[in-house]
Amino acid sequence: MGQGTGNWESNGGRTIQKAVNLALQGGGSHGAFAWGVLDRLLEDGRITIDGISATSAGAMNAVTLAYGWVIGGPDGARRSLAEFWHRIGKAGNFSWLQPNWFDRIHARRRFHFLSRVRYDRSDNPDIFAV
């Protein structure tokens, strides 16, 4: 920041760029959240990225950012990240973990049945040990 003044402007009115190093953590939802943060950092012309250290989903962000940067600078990195995470989101729609029509129809019945299952203390007294 400019000489402790809290602004990014130098005396000549030029914008000073601040170089930062990023550490990007893993975890799917953390990666998606970091995309938003990276998008904002890339949009702000005052920040340049000097280096990135990353793991898991953070590494996917780092590679996608670097690829986009080589292709089209900060705007290319933003486009690359946006395209990547939109594709990830669409791919999740076809995951085998998504409930199908049968699951949706019968979910209420299964919940109703399972909510009535009771455990008897005589079956396993350790469950209810105090």
Side-chain angles (χ1 to χ4, degrees):
M1 303 189 102
Q3 299 164 352
T5 61
N7 63 28
W8 291 82
E9 301 268 332
S10 69
N11 290 339
R14 285 185 316 133
T15 301
I16 298 171
Q17 288 190 322
K18 181 166 182 79
V20 297
N21 291 298
L22 302 174
L24 305 176
Q25 71 184 37
S29 59
H30 292 290
F33 175 78
W35 161 42
V37 174
L38 290 171
D39 186 65
R40 181 64 182 104
L41 290 175
L42 292 166
E43 182 181 41
D44 189 336
R46 300 173 298 172
I47 296 174
T48 61
I49 299 171
D50 238 11
I52 301 175
S53 175
T55 183
S56 191
M60 295 189 313
N61 274 332
V63 169
T64 305
L65 184 149
Y67 169 77
W69 191 284
V70 168
I71 300 300
D75 290 334
R78 291 181 70 211
R79 280 191 304 274
S80 184
L81 283 164
E83 182 180 336
F84 174 77
W85 282 104
H86 285 289
R87 284 185 176 187
I88 293 290
K90 287 179 184 176
N93 292 336
F94 303 106
S95 168
W96 61 273
L97 295 173
Q98 293 291 327
N100 60 29
W101 63 270
F102 184 82
D103 294 329
R104 289 185 183 112
I105 290 171
H106 295 288
R108 177 179 269 183
R109 269 194 231 163
R110 280 185 292 196
F111 177 74
H112 182 73
F113 170 75
L114 291 173
S115 67
R116 285 171 176 50
V117 172
R118 293 186 165 200
Y119 292 101
D120 187 8
R121 287 180 186 227
S122 62
D123 291 341
N124 188 353
D126 292 335
I127 290 177
F128 299 98
V130 185

